[in-house]
Amino acid sequence: MLEAHQLAASRGDTNLFSGLDFRLVPGALLRVTGANGSGKTSLLRALCGLLMPNAGEVRWNGENVRALREEFWKHLAYVGHADALKDDLTAAENLAFACALSGLQLPATRAQAALERLGLAGRERLPARALSQGQRRRAALARLAVAETHPLWVLDEPFASLDAAAVQQVQALASAHLARGGIVVLTTHQDARIEAPSVVDLSLGR
């Protein structure tokens, strides 16, 4: 269970949001919308324990995530707005490296299957620098195809730079994760066609 209690954040002298309260149970999808600069990415980073809020706290199963730190991160799959790929590593190596950071040792066959599912068949051994913007995004999101043991997924604009086929794959992965009792938090400017037992909509900047 992920909870936000009176959460507040600012950028410089600008208040982004304050007094945010929500509770996400297994199977819940939180869709965060708002104009650019409204604080969507800051909220996601606060939920991941990567940004200190000005007030309030984020709790995972009743415990403050900033106190849990690594223990909380073992339950988290976070894909930020930036692809966070190392240019000198191949798509497969980047996926294995990202998984290793969260304590998951990924066999090469499983990495290949995940990349194939995201439409990168034949490009697994290419260095990230040789991939197009859309392919880089697919490589970053391939982590979701092997993240079923991570109950919390936090995704910042996951559909950016993706074609229709890749969008459908990511939506299917998220729907399956929610069906098995996971939690998904995402920001998006698009209509997210994700099936969820429970949906919470949050609009920032209003």
Side-chain angles (χ1 to χ4, degrees):
M1 182 169 61
L2 183 70
E3 300 171 275
H5 291 268
Q6 292 296 298
L7 207 60
S10 61
R11 183 184 299 116
D13 295 329
T14 303
N15 178 59
L16 296 174
F17 53 81
S18 60
L20 287 187
D21 284 288
F22 54 80
R23 179 174 177 266
L24 304 178
V25 298
L29 167 66
L30 172 62
R31 296 184 300 202
V32 183
T33 58
N36 290 339
S38 61
K40 300 187 300 296
T41 295
S42 294
L43 173 58
L44 265 56
R45 289 180 58 80
L47 294 180
C48 293
L50 301 174
L51 178 108
M52 174 72 79
N54 292 78
E57 64 180 29
V58 179
R59 298 174 187 167
W60 176 250
N61 293 333
E63 299 289 334
N64 191 311
V65 299
R66 294 192 64 82
L68 290 172
R69 296 181 62 80
E70 287 84 0
E71 184 60 32
F72 167 64
W73 293 329
K74 291 178 183 177
H75 300 273
L76 170 69
Y78 172 59
V79 180
H81 191 272
D83 297 325
L85 300 179
K86 294 182 178 296
D87 284 342
D88 292 334
L89 299 183
T90 67
E93 290 169 340
N94 268 290
L95 177 56
F97 179 74
C99 290
L101 289 177
S102 63
L104 175 63
Q105 298 303 313
L106 191 66
T109 53
R110 196 159 180 228
Q112 180 174 345
L115 291 164
E116 287 179 355
R117 182 166 185 180
L118 268 294
L120 289 174
R123 296 175 175 82
E124 306 94 330
R125 299 179 184 277
L126 289 178
R129 70 162 68 88
L131 301 176
S132 69
Q133 185 175 0
Q135 290 167 346
R136 289 175 66 91
R137 193 60 177 161
R138 289 177 185 228
L141 288 163
R143 185 182 173 198
L144 302 182
V146 295
E148 65 274 3
T149 60
H150 295 67
L152 176 61
W153 291 5
V154 178
L155 315 175
D156 195 355
E157 295 290 347
F159 308 126
S161 302
L162 295 184
D163 59 20
V167 168
Q168 289 180 354
Q169 283 289 355
V170 175
Q171 290 175 341
L173 286 167
S175 295
H177 185 62
L178 290 162
R180 60 178 173 257
I183 296 172
V184 175
V185 178
L186 63 83
T187 64
T188 181
H189 290 288
Q190 302 181 34
D191 180 21
R193 298 180 181 178
I194 297 172
E195 297 180 8
S198 172
V199 179
V200 178
D201 286 303
L202 175 62
S203 180
L204 299 182
R206 292 185 178 180

